[in-house]
């Protein structure tokens, strides 16, 4: 008798049922949150050209609602269910021990400094680079949390029955495209279509970095340093030439929010290594 090319339904059925039932939890909810984040970014930032002019109060409101609440806290709330179901763990989400975090953060910050010193146009003042970095931090935190900590890990969890290379490849492609398209919600000229290939390429590099290093803070440094040359050309020069308390306050607020979420997860969840 010729063997059938179709798998045994008794074996295939439970797996297909599991895949279908996990779609809302692992795919639809993260994508919906991404859409809400992009929409809120457009309403609070892109539609009013916030990056093109200094508006301290509006900048802080944008940071609080778009980047802290929707971009950082809500992804952590979504991660809770993924942790409880076993689909994602702390290691995969990039929340590591203090020693590991400090090491990854320090090495990435040093690499970012060397990158900027090498590839930014000569004559660019160091204060302009640092001010731009602080300006980007709230956005970078939300981008890392939405695109990779949430969507990237959930895409991998959904494809966990396949090979690791396949899940990572899909994770890189999907999150790189979402990262690039998120800039459409920002102020001109960052929302121009001709920047999309470059931004997707930056997103692909950030995705590979996140999946390799698995550290949230290091990934924030990577994203911020990678996007500085692009953002530097698209924001009001006042942001780069002057000390603006609202910009530094927004960066500090985003990092405090991220650290608070990290401490919350450390207190409530643990990844236990089981001996083989």
């Amino acid at each position: 008798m010729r063997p059938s090319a179709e798998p045994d339904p008794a074996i295939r059925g439970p797996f297909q049922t599991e895949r279908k039932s996990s779609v809302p939890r692992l795919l639809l909810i993260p994508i919906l949150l991404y859409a809400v984040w992009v929409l809120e970014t457009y309403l609070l930032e892109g539609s009013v050209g916030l990056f093109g002019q200094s508006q301290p109060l509006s900048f802080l409101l944008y940071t609080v609602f778009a980047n802290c609440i929707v971009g950082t806290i809500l992804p952590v709330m979504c991660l809770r269910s993924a942790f409880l179901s076993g689909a994602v763990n702390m290691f995969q989400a990039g929340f590591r021990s203090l020693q590991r975090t400090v090491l990854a953060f320090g090495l990435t910050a040093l690499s970012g400094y060397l990158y900027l010193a090498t590839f930014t146009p000569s004559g660019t003042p160091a204060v302009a680079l640092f001010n731009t970095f602080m300006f980007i931090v709230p956005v970078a935190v939300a981008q890392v949390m939405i695109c990779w900590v949430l969507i990237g890990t959930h895409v991998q969890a959904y494809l966990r029955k396949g090979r690791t290379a396949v899940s990572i490849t899909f994770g890189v492609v999907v999150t790189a495209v979402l990262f690039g398209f998120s800039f459409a919600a920002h102020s001109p000229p960052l929302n121009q279509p001709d920047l999309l290939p470059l931004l997707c390429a930056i997103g692909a590099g950030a995705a590979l970095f996140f999946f390799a290093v698995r550290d949230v803070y290091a990934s924030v440094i990577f994203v911020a340093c990678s996007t500085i040359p692009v953002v530097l050309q698209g924001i009001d020069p006042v942001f780069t030439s002057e000390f603006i308390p609202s910009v530094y306050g927004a960066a500090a607020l985003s990092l405090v929010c991220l650290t608070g979420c990290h401490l919350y997860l450390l207190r409530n969840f643990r990844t236990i290594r089981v001996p083989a």
Side-chain angles (χ1 to χ4, degrees):
M1 179 181 295
R2 185 171 59 89
S4 173
E6 292 294 325
D8 186 347
I11 300 176
R12 182 184 58 180
F15 174 61
Q16 288 186 337
T17 302
E18 179 188 357
R19 288 285 295 272
K20 290 179 181 179
S21 64
S22 64
V23 168
R25 175 170 52 86
L26 295 178
L27 298 182
L28 294 184
I29 293 177
I31 294 298
L32 178 61
L33 184 57
Y34 167 85
V36 172
W37 170 62
V38 169
L39 176 61
E40 193 163 8
T41 297
Y42 173 74
L43 293 176
L44 295 177
E45 191 272 297
S47 65
V48 297
L50 191 60
F51 287 1
Q53 52 187 324
S54 178
Q55 303 176 51
L57 180 58
S58 297
F59 193 85
L60 286 174
L61 290 176
Y62 158 65
T63 298
V64 170
F65 289 101
N67 295 323
C68 289
I69 296 177
V70 176
T72 305
I73 296 175
L74 290 185
V76 169
M77 296 299 101
C78 292
L79 280 174
R80 290 179 72 255
S81 62
F83 287 159
L84 292 173
S85 68
V88 179
N89 59 41
M90 291 281 283
F91 165 80
Q92 293 168 334
F95 291 103
R96 313 295 292 273
S97 65
L98 176 61
Q99 296 85 346
R100 174 64 167 69
T101 295
V102 170
L103 177 62
F105 180 89
L107 291 176
T108 307
L110 176 61
S111 300
Y113 171 79
L114 295 176
Y115 163 78
L116 292 174
T118 303
F119 292 102
T120 51
S122 59
T124 304
V127 66
L129 294 177
F130 188 73
N131 284 348
T132 307
F133 175 83
M134 298 300 288
F135 180 89
I136 297 172
V137 163
V139 183
V141 169
Q143 287 170 332
V144 170
M145 290 296 296
I146 291 282
C147 292
W148 293 290
V149 175
L150 181 62
I151 296 178
T153 59
H154 281 57
V155 167
Q156 280 197 292
Y158 181 72
L159 297 174
R160 66 184 181 274
K161 295 294 184 180
R163 296 180 179 177
T164 301
V166 173
S167 65
I168 290 180
T169 300
F170 269 85
V172 168
V173 172
V174 170
T175 56
V177 171
L178 292 177
F179 173 85
F181 273 97
S182 71
F183 280 84
H186 286 294
S187 304
L190 299 177
N191 61 354
Q192 298 305 306
D194 58 334
L195 285 178
L196 183 60
L198 173 60
L199 294 170
C200 287
I202 293 174
L208 290 170
F209 180 87
F210 175 81
F211 290 133
V213 177
R214 298 287 183 175
D215 187 273
V216 172
Y217 302 90
S219 298
V220 170
I221 296 291
F222 185 97
V223 170
C225 291
S226 298
T227 53
I228 280 179
V230 178
V231 175
L232 191 60
Q233 303 174 26
I235 62 175
D236 189 336
V238 71
F239 287 116
T240 63
S241 60
E242 301 179 9
F243 170 79
I244 301 179
S246 61
V247 170
Y248 280 70
L253 182 62
S254 292
L255 292 175
V256 167
C257 182
L258 178 60
T259 303
C261 290
H262 189 178
L263 293 175
Y264 165 79
L265 293 175
L266 285 177
R267 291 186 62 179
N268 291 276
F269 299 95
R270 293 286 187 274
T271 297
I272 301 174
R273 296 185 180 275
V274 180

